[in-house]
Amino acid sequence: FQGQSEFYEMMGEMKNPKKFPLSLGVAQIVMVVMYLFTAVLAYHYGGADVNGFVLYSLPTNRLRTVCALLIAIHIVVAYIITGQPLTYKLHQAMSPRTLHASGAKSALVHLGTTLMILIVGYVVANVIPFFSDMQGIIAALAASAIVFFYPSYFYMSSAKRAGDWAGVPIYEKIYIYFVLVFVFPFCFGVGLAAAIDGVVTSW
């Protein structure tokens, strides 16, 4: 889960940002439980033959249809949230005068930008035969850095620049160094090797 890219935005929308650590802790616990529940349940019933996309392992019935609709809603919501920065920047590059303007012209430019992103994404996903494997390699290259390296590194760097590193609790320093020295390299290496092995096996 790479939701830390949204953490600052969520904190900025809170009535009391000081309670963000509590809300974040509760949210992470709930998500870990839900993710583990889904993975363990799928593996319990499907075993080693469970499909990478769990929906394909379900029998064709109404329950599968309901799950498909829920996943579709999830994808749409995720796209709306994560696609806004890219759409914003493209709109800004193509038509900066209409970026914050109101009216039909601004709305049409924004709509055109969004449709262009969706069409390009659809074409790329369907033209490349090994898109799923390629996506795995991209995730292996980017996810471990985004999830583990950058947050720890930026926190440490900003604390040192502000002169607050000496006041950081020792357990936080140990955790940061553990993530930078062990967790990040391990996840990066293992994830990339697994992704490349998947491509080799598929071909």
Side-chain angles (χ1 to χ4, degrees):
F1 178 70
Q2 301 177 39
Q4 69 270 22
S5 59
E6 303 291 333
F7 286 172
Y8 290 117
E9 285 75 8
M10 288 189 283
M11 189 188 306
E13 295 296 327
M14 293 181 65
K15 291 182 179 180
N16 186 359
K18 292 183 178 179
K19 292 185 177 181
F20 179 73
L22 174 62
S23 62
L24 178 62
V26 173
Q28 294 297 313
I29 291 172
V30 172
M31 282 188 287
V32 167
V33 171
M34 296 302 294
Y35 278 120
L36 281 177
F37 173 77
T38 304
V40 171
L41 187 66
Y43 188 77
H44 174 73
Y45 285 102
D49 297 327
V50 68
N51 195 286
F53 186 52
V54 181
L55 191 64
Y56 290 157
S57 296
L58 296 177
T60 305
N61 52 28
R62 291 182 180 180
L63 180 61
R64 177 171 174 168
T65 302
V66 172
C67 291
L69 289 174
L70 291 174
I71 290 177
I73 294 171
H74 167 76
I75 293 173
V76 170
V77 172
Y79 169 76
I80 291 174
I81 294 174
T82 59
Q84 289 305 311
L86 177 60
T87 305
Y88 179 90
K89 284 299 181 181
L90 287 176
H91 189 155
Q92 185 180 42
M94 294 187 298
S95 180
R97 292 183 178 180
T98 63
L99 183 62
H100 297 290
S102 58
K105 183 178 180 180
S106 176
L108 288 173
V109 172
H110 193 80
L111 176 63
T113 305
T114 304
L115 289 175
M116 180 182 69
I117 294 173
L118 289 173
I119 292 171
V120 170
Y122 178 82
V123 171
V124 170
N126 286 277
V127 167
I128 301 177
F130 54 92
F131 180 76
S132 178
D133 294 325
M134 184 188 72
Q135 193 176 28
I137 293 177
I138 294 173
L141 290 171
S144 56
I146 294 173
V147 173
F148 298 113
F149 180 79
Y150 290 130
S152 300
Y153 175 76
F154 289 146
Y155 176 75
M156 180 176 66
S157 299
S158 61
K160 288 182 177 180
R161 288 184 180 181
D164 298 331
W165 181 245
V168 174
I170 186 65
Y171 64 86
E172 287 190 10
K173 292 181 179 178
I174 293 174
Y175 175 76
I176 289 172
Y177 287 126
F178 176 71
V179 169
L180 292 176
V181 176
F182 178 75
V183 177
F184 164 65
F186 177 79
C187 292
F188 178 83
V190 173
L192 184 59
I196 293 175
D197 180 69
V199 174
V200 173
T201 302
S202 299
W203 285 82

